[in-house]
Amino acid sequence: MKKIFKLVLALVCATMVQTSRAEVNPGSDDITVLNTENETSVQVPTSDPTVKFRFRVDVGASFAAMRLGTDPNDPAIIKESSINFSSFEPSVALGTDLQLTRNPDLSFMGLLGFGYQSYSKDKQEVKYGQLQLRLGVTYVFDHSKKYAPLVYGGFNGNYLVGFDSKNISPDYWIGKPSFDKSGKDMLGFGFFLGGGVNMDLDGHDLRLSLEYGFNAIPPLEIQVHTIGVKAAFIL
């Protein structure tokens, strides 16, 4: 009985070897399985990367309008005694751009940036640096073109460093003696939206855009709106 089973198995294997063969496609890791009996073939991809990682550098300059005097429990609530400041904010960020290989028009960004803001009004001053983690998505309308419009948006987390204030009334949290310049009191959140143009530079990208941003730091009773220009270099 064992001899009969082995004989049948050998015949099946011999039939498979005679009716099909596999070939490695030149210049590719894909394998094509050929059926020599009915002359059909099936291409089987052995490697299919879905994401392309690219290094990214962002630089920008924004006009920032800061409001001091929001409810720490609800930044949307503005105190009657709130103060409005304005400032110019330079920024730089480094990170990665994740481009989908099957849809190169769509990509995702992850950036760690730094910006500096200095506000003053009627001898009242607020200054701080800002570490910012930016996560977002970008859509380029036909990335294959030399010049193509784009839109993007995302969310960010903020951590303030080197915070300093002068002549701030105790009516505001940052004017109170109990004010803590470290830890969770320096944490904030926000979002950003932008649009512009993508320029193809021999496989690299230069993206110029106009961006609106919003940031809130509830423990400090601070709310910031920004609008500015950004340049992103993607290698």
Side-chain angles (χ1 to χ4, degrees), residues 86-103:
S86 61
S87 176
F88 173 79
E89 177 191 9
S91 62
V92 62
L94 302 175
T96 186
D97 191 84
L98 283 64
Q99 185 180 44
L100 299 182
T101 54
R102 294 188 178 183
N103 184 7

Side-chain angles (χ1 to χ4, degrees), residues 152 191-195 210-215 224-228:
Y152 65 91
F191 67 89
F192 56 93
L193 298 169
L210 183 67
E211 180 182 296
Y212 166 77
F214 171 80
N215 293 286
V224 181
H225 298 265
T226 61
I227 185 166

Side-chain angles (χ1 to χ4, degrees), residues 60-115:
S62 303
F63 172 79
M66 191 260 275
R67 184 192 299 272
L68 172 62
T70 62
D71 190 320
N73 299 316
D74 187 353
I77 300 177
I78 308 300
K79 293 181 177 180
E80 293 184 1
S81 58
S82 64
I83 305 173
N84 293 317
F85 296 89
S86 61
S87 176
F88 173 79
E89 177 191 9
S91 62
V92 62
L94 302 175
T96 186
D97 191 84
L98 283 64
Q99 185 180 44
L100 299 182
T101 54
R102 294 188 178 183
N103 184 7
D105 295 339
L106 186 64
S107 62
F108 300 89
M109 71 177 83
L111 298 165
L112 180 62
F114 179 79

Side-chain angles (χ1 to χ4, degrees), residues 104-230:
D105 295 339
L106 186 64
S107 62
F108 300 89
M109 71 177 83
L111 298 165
L112 180 62
F114 179 79
Y116 180 76
Q117 293 176 324
S118 176
Y119 304 94
S120 63
K121 183 178 181 180
D122 299 330
K123 297 183 179 181
Q124 297 171 311
E125 296 181 4
V126 177
K127 299 178 181 180
Y128 56 83
Q130 180 174 251
L131 289 174
Q132 190 175 78
L133 176 65
R134 292 162 58 95
L135 301 174
V137 59
T138 302
Y139 187 82
V140 179
F141 295 88
D142 197 348
H143 194 270
S144 62
K145 293 183 178 179
K146 181 71 174 179
Y147 302 97
L150 63 87
V151 293
Y152 65 91
F155 298 93
N156 55 261
N158 308 310
Y159 183 77
L160 306 190
V161 294
F163 189 94
D164 188 27
S165 63
K166 295 180 181 179
N167 302 318
I168 300 298
S169 169
D171 291 341
Y172 309 108
W173 196 85
I174 62 175
K176 292 180 169 59
S178 60
F179 171 58
D180 183 9
K181 295 184 179 181
S182 63
K184 64 181 181 179
D185 293 337
M186 296 289 102
L187 293 175
F189 60 88
F191 67 89
F192 56 93
L193 298 169
V197 61
N198 182 85
M199 291 177 278
D200 182 15
L201 304 176
D202 295 328
H204 306 302
D205 288 334
L206 170 61
R207 294 175 178 173
L208 302 178
S209 61
L210 183 67
E211 180 182 296
Y212 166 77
F214 171 80
N215 293 286
I217 303 94
L220 306 187
E221 303 184 16
I222 287 177
Q223 193 181 86
V224 181
H225 298 265
T226 61
I227 185 166
V229 291
K230 299 282 185 177

Side-chain angles (χ1 to χ4, degrees), residues 29-30 44-49:
D29 292 332
D30 295 346
V44 180
T46 58
S47 61
D48 185 19

Side-chain angles (χ1 to χ4, degrees), residues 20-41:
S20 64
R21 71 176 188 273
E23 293 181 353
V24 178
N25 299 331
S28 172
D29 292 332
D30 295 346
I31 296 176
T32 300
V33 179
L34 303 175
N35 189 320
T36 57
E37 185 175 17
N38 54 19
E39 297 183 352
T40 60
S41 64

